[in-house]
Amino acid sequence: MKLVRWKRFTWQIKKLPPLEQKLPAHFIIRPATREEAKAVVHVVVTAFSLDSTWSDTLNLFRDRLEMQLDLAFQRETFPALVITHGPRIIAASVLNTDSETDSNLISGPCVLAEYCNRGLGSALLYASLKQLSEVGLEQVAGITKENSTACKFLYPKFGSAGVPCEYAPLLAAT
């Protein structure tokens, strides 16, 4: 089995700086509805599958990821935030409001490949952090693969602290 190195980022919500770059008007960030669960899962899995830094690792935890996505839509009041372009969901971030969880960002911001590099991931991360603060979390955590785009460029934003961590996505049950 290939060794995967993980990094855990934490954000202190009260110290969250303002979002500097606003989303263009033709993109809308909004909560996902329960009826959109399949579309959200499709966006998340597609984004991971087409990202070369994740494609080799996705097979190790795809079943668990899909289970957590389904559980979020069963348990959470606001299970996910999405970005739409017209009627199409082009990005999604699935959330976990449990303050004791390893990661409150179940999927992290996932953007379809054709919409990458437009600031959508940053806007979705910021909106996710704000949404989690509105449910009362003072600290938010997210775990990602070291050397991934999220680890290098996205998760270090908004005053986060990142440290290597032990994480076994195959072993964790929920």
Side-chain angles (χ1 to χ4, degrees):
M1 178 187 264
K2 184 178 177 183
L3 175 66
V4 178
R5 297 184 194 278
W6 301 94
K7 198 162 186 181
R8 184 173 198 257
F9 288 84
T10 55
W11 293 265
Q12 300 302 320
I13 296 300
K14 292 185 193 258
K15 297 178 182 177
L16 197 62
L19 181 62
E20 293 176 11
Q21 185 177 347
K22 299 291 182 195
L23 205 57
H26 55 280
F27 296 117
I28 307 291
I29 296 180
R30 63 170 176 77
T33 65
R34 297 205 189 288
E35 293 76 24
E36 294 172 318
K38 284 186 179 183
V40 169
V41 170
H42 175 73
V43 167
V44 169
V45 171
T46 300
F48 276 114
S49 297
L50 296 177
D51 184 334
S52 62
T53 60
W54 281 100
S55 58
D56 63 333
T57 310
L58 180 60
N59 289 334
L60 297 175
F61 71 96
R62 183 179 179 146
D63 290 341
R64 180 176 185 270
L65 174 65
E66 289 180 359
M67 179 192 72
Q68 283 196 325
L69 298 175
D70 289 340
L71 285 173
F73 275 91
Q74 292 173 27
R75 294 185 199 169
E76 300 290 342
T77 305
F78 296 104
L81 294 175
V82 296
I83 297 179
T84 58
H85 184 209
R88 182 178 183 209
I89 294 175
I90 60 162
S93 178
V94 182
L95 309 173
N96 181 340
T97 59
D98 181 2
S99 62
E100 301 298 317
T101 190
D102 285 336
S103 180
N104 303 103
L105 303 173
I106 294 172
S107 65
C110 293
V111 180
L112 293 177
E114 64 265 33
Y115 290 93
C116 286
N117 300 316
R118 299 182 191 192
L120 301 178
S122 296
L124 191 53
L125 174 61
Y126 190 83
S128 297
L129 297 173
K130 292 298 271 183
Q131 179 64 43
L132 290 164
S133 75
E134 289 177 17
V135 298
L137 294 181
E138 294 180 15
Q139 178 175 292
V140 172
I143 296 176
T144 191
K145 186 177 171 183
E146 274 191 6
N147 298 321
S148 67
T149 302
C151 185
K152 291 179 189 176
F153 304 109
L154 184 61
Y155 281 15
K157 294 183 177 189
F158 312 120
S160 71
V163 296
C165 72
E166 295 292 324
Y167 183 61
L170 292 174
L171 302 176
T174 58

